């Protein structure tokens, strides 16, 4: 089997894809027949590409890099200089790979997906069992995503098209599926009868830096919320699938995406906040404003907060708050399931009356951890009754299963592509349903003239986001 990384010399390939394949090899998970071929236009020979890969793996692998594993892995690596947007490039590739089963990983700009698929088809490289892996973003709105998906479908059948959302490769995200569907405990509580609201936060400390030409065209809503955050929302909210089979899971996710209540111009100002960072101190360093990084005035949001509703029986009346931003006070990816308080407290009196509602906190970054906050009696002989305090019941993966190396999300996903398992990949109808909802919000922002609120780099975002959630009777989990 051949794995062709189109864009093999690029950033994603060096930081994620080659390291993920290396670690699969280190764990004995790559069969002897697997060959990894880097492909880019840059003229390099095999040794030049291997040197580049060696340096990248040493840097990424750190203490886990092993020269003996590298020696074995390097034997699998080859490189072809070719422009895959032209059929001559695909013909050159075909001359190298012949009729072997091949995975094409498109680690290039999505504007090239169409041309590359045309070339691969013209060279006769798109028949089963060959498959294609697509990186985000699939388009910048519904129509452009439909155009890309349509072009890819001309060359590869949907069941051989793997759309990556690397969040789905994270251990804790898969653990969320296990938590929900391998424990009888949660399911009866997993509804609006017991859950008050859900919060999903993706906070980054980095700014946009050199990526501003891409980012300025997208903004936080399209860059993070349309894909990663809506995927997390789907896994929290979906009905139990009949099995882990790809279509069972994805059918349930797409039902959630189609049940998202549209946010129109009339309510968009109450249910969303756009923000943009100005100068401040982030991660201990003075940092400039977003407009300085861009070198021009711009209204692109680097922060967004939203209140979503899912119109179905399970989630009627339960707000799903989502927020994401750059240059925030800390790096945090977290899902909070906030349960309702007990209906009546039997613990009145000083120190005993604070019965906090339970919450399930699922941390994805920086640490992977799941904890359930439960109320406990504080040990002691308080004369005026019980003194209560919340204590977390923690399911730390690192503690339970030992430290060791934290896997790169792409390891799981690449292994699944090798084994033809698309459960953790995004189906075309999911992408299009999520764009439909996001496009509606963008149109509402334009109609209602919702502009960006400034926030200090190194903060938790604009004050308006606190006001938004306060007006809806809740507060952010910070
Ligand atoms: P990048 O550093 O710009 O790399 C692009 C690669 O594509 C280069 O190796 C480039 O090499 C090659 N390339 C460009 N045109 C080509 C052509 N016609 N034929 C063959 N190769 C060609 O970009 P990246 O950051 O790795 O990102 C790649 C994709 O992953 C993008 O879609 C991006 O949105 C997505 N992504 C990246 C990250 C990340 O962390 N970097 C995260 C999520 C998603 P030559 O110029 O030599 O051809």
């Amino acid at each position: 089997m051949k794995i062709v990384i189109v864009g093999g010399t690029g950033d994603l390939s060096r930081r994620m894809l080659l390291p993920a394949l290396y670690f699969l090899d280190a764990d004995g998970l790559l069969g002897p027949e697997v060959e990894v071929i880097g492909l880019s236009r840059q003229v390099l020979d095999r040794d030049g590409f291997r040197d580049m890969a060696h340096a990248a793996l040493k840097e990424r692998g750190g203490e886990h890099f092993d020269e003996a594993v590298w020696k074995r892995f390097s034997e699998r690596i080859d490189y072809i200089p070719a422009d895959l947007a032209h059929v001559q490039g695909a013909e050159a590739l075909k001359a190298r790979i012949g009729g072997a089963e091949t995975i094409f990983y498109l680690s290039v700009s999505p504007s090239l997906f169409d041309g590359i698929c045309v070339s691969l088809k013209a060279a006769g490289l798109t028949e089963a069992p060959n498959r294609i892996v697509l990186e985000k973003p699939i388009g910048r709105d519904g129509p452009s995503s439909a155009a890309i998906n349509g072009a890819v479908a001309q060359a590869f059948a949907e069941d051989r098209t793997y759309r990556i959302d690397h969040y789905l490769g994270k251990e804790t995200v898969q653990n969320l599926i296990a938590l929900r569907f391998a424990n009888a405990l949660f399911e009866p509580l997993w509804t609006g009868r017991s859950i008050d609201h859900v919060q999903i936060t993706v906070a980054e400390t980095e700014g946009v830096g050199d990526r501003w030409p891409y980012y300025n065209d997208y903004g936080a809503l399209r860059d993070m919320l349309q894909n990663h955050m809506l995927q997390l929302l789907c896994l929290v909210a979906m009905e139990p699938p009949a099995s882990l089979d790809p279509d069972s899971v994805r059918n349930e996710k797409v039902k959630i995406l189609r049940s998202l209540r549209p946010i129109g111009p009339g309510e968009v100002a109450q249910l969303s906040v756009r923000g943009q960072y100005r100068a401040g101190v982030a991660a201990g360093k003075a940092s400039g404003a977003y407009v300085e990084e861009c070198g021009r005035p711009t209204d692109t949001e680097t922060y967004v907060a939203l209140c979503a509703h899912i119109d179905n029986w399970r989630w009627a009346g339960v707000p799903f708050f989502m927020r994401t931003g750059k240059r925030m006070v800390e790096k945090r990816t977290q899902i909070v399931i906030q349960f309702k308080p007990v209906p009546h407290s039997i613990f009145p009196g000083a120190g005993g009356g604070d019965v906090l509602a339970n919450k399930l906190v699922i941390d994805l970054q920086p640490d992977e951890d799941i904890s359930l906050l439960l109320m406990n009696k504080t040990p002691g002989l308080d004369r005026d009754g019980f003194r209560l305090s919340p204590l977390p019941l923690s399911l730390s993966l690192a503690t339970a299963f030992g430290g060791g190396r934290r896997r790169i999300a792409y390891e799981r996903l690449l292994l699944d592509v090798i084994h033809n398992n698309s459960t953790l990949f995004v189906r075309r109808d999911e992408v299009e349903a999520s764009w439909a909802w996001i496009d509606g919000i963008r149109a509402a922002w334009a109609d209602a003239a919702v502009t960006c609120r400034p926030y200090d780099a190194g903060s938790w975002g604009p004050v308006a986001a606190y006001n938004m959630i306060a007006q809806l009777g809740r507060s952010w989990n910070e």
Side-chain angles (χ1 to χ4, degrees), residues 4 35 62 107 110 158 170 194 200 207 222 259 270 324 364 410:
V4 178
E35 197 183 344
S107 180
E158 178 62 26
K170 289 178 187 284
S194 307
I200 302 176
R222 293 194 265 214
S259 308
Q270 287 75 51
T324 180
L364 279 72
Y410 286 88

Side-chain angles (χ1 to χ4, degrees), residues 66-105:
D66 180 342
E67 288 290 346
V69 176
W70 160 252
K71 194 164 181 319
R72 183 174 74 224
F73 184 64
S74 67
E75 294 299 317
R76 303 176 184 274
I77 298 186
D78 199 357
Y79 180 76
I80 299 181
D83 183 345
L84 218 54
H86 295 99
V87 71
Q88 295 88 332
E91 295 287 1
L93 176 61
K94 188 179 184 183
R96 168 67 180 75
I97 60 177
E101 176 177 356
T102 304
I103 293 166
F104 300 100
Y105 194 120

Side-chain angles (χ1 to χ4, degrees), residues 6-13 15 39-42 82-85 107-110 112-113 135-137 410:
V6 183
T9 56
D11 177 69
L12 185 71
S13 168
R15 283 193 310 108
L39 184 149
S40 302
R41 291 166 304 175
Q42 185 181 346
D83 183 345
L84 218 54
S107 180
V108 292
S109 160
L112 295 172
F113 290 178
E135 260 301 334
K136 76 155 208 189
Y410 286 88

Side-chain angles (χ1 to χ4, degrees), residues 129-178:
N130 290 358
R131 37 212 187 275
I132 193 158
V133 185
L134 305 176
E135 260 301 334
K136 76 155 208 189
I138 312 272
R140 60 190 302 282
D141 54 18
S144 57
S145 121
I148 292 173
N149 283 325
V152 173
Q154 297 289 318
F156 292 90
E158 178 62 26
D159 64 351
R160 291 186 289 114
T161 301
Y162 290 76
R163 295 178 194 80
I164 288 253
D165 188 314
H166 73 272
Y167 272 46
L168 298 182
K170 289 178 187 284
E171 206 68 69
T172 318
V173 173
Q174 290 154 50
N175 209 8
L176 175 59
I177 300 178

Side-chain angles (χ1 to χ4, degrees), residues 16 25 45 79 96 98 113 130 200 206 246 269 284 294 323 329 334 338 351 375 391 401 417 441 447 450 469 474:
M16 298 291 175
D25 196 0
D45 60 12
Y79 180 76
R96 168 67 180 75
F113 290 178
N130 290 358
I200 302 176
E206 299 95 39
C294 290
R323 60 177 173 162
V329 67
Q334 185 182 66
Q338 178 66 62
M375 292 308 292
L391 272 187
F401 298 102
V417 182
I441 295 170
D447 276 8
V450 175
I469 197 166
R474 316 309 199 281

